[in-house]
Amino acid sequence: TITVTCGGKDYTSTFSALAGSQYTVKVTPNTGYTAGTPNVTSGYVNSNISISATAATKATYVFTINKTSNQTITVTYGGTTYKSTASANTTFTATYGEKWTATIAGATGYNPGTLSATSGTITGAVTLSATEATIKTFTLSFGATTNQTYVATIGGTAKAATSNATSYTVNYGTSYSVAYTAASASAAYTYTASGAVSGTVTSNVSVPAKSATATLRYYTLSIGAVTDQTYTLTLTKSSTYGGTLPSYTSTATSAAQSL
């Protein structure tokens, strides 16, 4: 709209003015436009005057995507995509009345956060941001063990030795290891600990229950020689321990034996 002020009145169309009258010109844009430039801004009426202006142009605004860590904000505008970075804000020029959409994705191992808006129409400057990304957590579980204890080291911190099943809530990317110690030998068995286990948490992890390897212990059975009599040695396998019977002759003898 071109407005001419003359003789104390405002005019937006053709009018008559007395010779020598002073006038001023103002150009006002419609919403969403930038005003053009008038051919004259002020003067005195001394002949017929024609006031015009260059064409109005659509207004443009700065669209800012705030810098983010461990997440990527993607804005689609005018067929082009713009993405956030961790080092600096991302900006582009947007035209009044145009539409935009936005999505957000978390970095590997992170929940993405929530956008301040997911779509809109350009009516002014836009600043798009999001809540902070949060690291994902998972369950790290160890099964119970038999005839051995284990020490779990999680993220560089050793836990107390135990043979019980345990579970921990840990962050994505946490390293873990499990070292086993066999129980002391009993009268019947010796024990060999399970091999160590290690890894990095990228999802729920369950280390299955493990048992130490049990090996039956053997002892020497000695029988001395006898005089004026013989004896017969009988060996049977124990139903409790099992094991392997040694090779021997079970006929009567008076000789000493060692098995």
Side-chain angles (χ1 to χ4, degrees):
T1 301
I2 300 175
T3 302
V4 176
T5 301
C6 183
K9 293 183 179 180
D10 293 334
Y11 300 92
T12 57
S13 60
T14 300
F15 67 97
S16 297
L18 294 174
S21 298
Q22 187 178 12
Y23 68 91
T24 58
V25 179
K26 179 176 69 174
V27 181
T28 305
N30 288 349
T31 300
Y33 284 81
T34 298
T37 302
N39 62 334
V40 62
T41 58
S42 63
Y44 291 91
V45 177
N46 51 27
S47 63
N48 291 331
I49 301 172
S50 179
I51 305 295
S52 63
T54 57
T57 56
K58 270 195 173 184
T60 58
Y61 303 96
V62 175
F63 194 116
T64 302
I65 308 172
N66 280 346
K67 63 181 180 179
T68 59
S69 297
N70 300 310
Q71 61 188 190
T72 300
I73 299 173
T74 301
V75 175
T76 301
Y77 166 81
T80 302
T81 57
Y82 303 87
K83 295 187 178 183
S84 61
T85 68
S87 58
N89 292 341
T90 298
T91 61
F92 62 91
T93 300
T95 302
Y96 178 87
E98 298 295 324
K99 297 184 182 299
W100 59 271
T101 58
T103 58
I104 187 170
T108 302
Y110 282 81
N111 301 305
T114 302
L115 287 169
S116 56
T118 57
S119 62
T121 301
I122 301 298
T123 58
V126 178
T127 299
L128 185 64
S129 59
T131 58
E132 291 184 2
T134 55
I135 196 165
K136 292 180 179 180
T137 59
F138 297 99
T139 300
L140 173 61
S141 301
F142 303 98
T145 63
T146 303
N147 297 316
Q148 63 185 352
T149 58
Y150 66 86
V151 173
T153 300
I154 302 173
T157 301
K159 306 299 182 179
T162 182
S163 60
N164 299 322
T166 52
S167 293
Y168 303 91
T169 299
V170 300
N171 290 340
Y172 174 92
T174 299
S175 62
Y176 68 91
S177 62
V178 188
Y180 294 89
T181 301
S184 300
S186 68
Y189 293 99
T190 55
Y191 302 101
T192 303
S194 302
V197 176
S198 63
T200 301
V201 174
T202 58
S203 61
N204 291 332
V205 176
S206 179
V207 178
K210 294 178 179 295
S211 298
T213 301
T215 304
L216 188 64
R217 299 183 71 178
Y218 288 88
Y219 298 89
T220 299
L221 171 62
S222 298
I223 303 172
V226 295
T227 303
D228 299 325
Q229 61 183 355
T230 61
Y231 66 87
T232 300
L233 175 62
T234 301
L235 299 180
T236 59
K237 185 182 294 188
S238 166
S239 61
T240 301
Y241 300 109
T244 302
L245 293 176
S247 175
Y248 76 103
T249 302
S250 59
T251 55
T253 182
S254 60
Q257 296 187 74
S258 182
L259 303 173

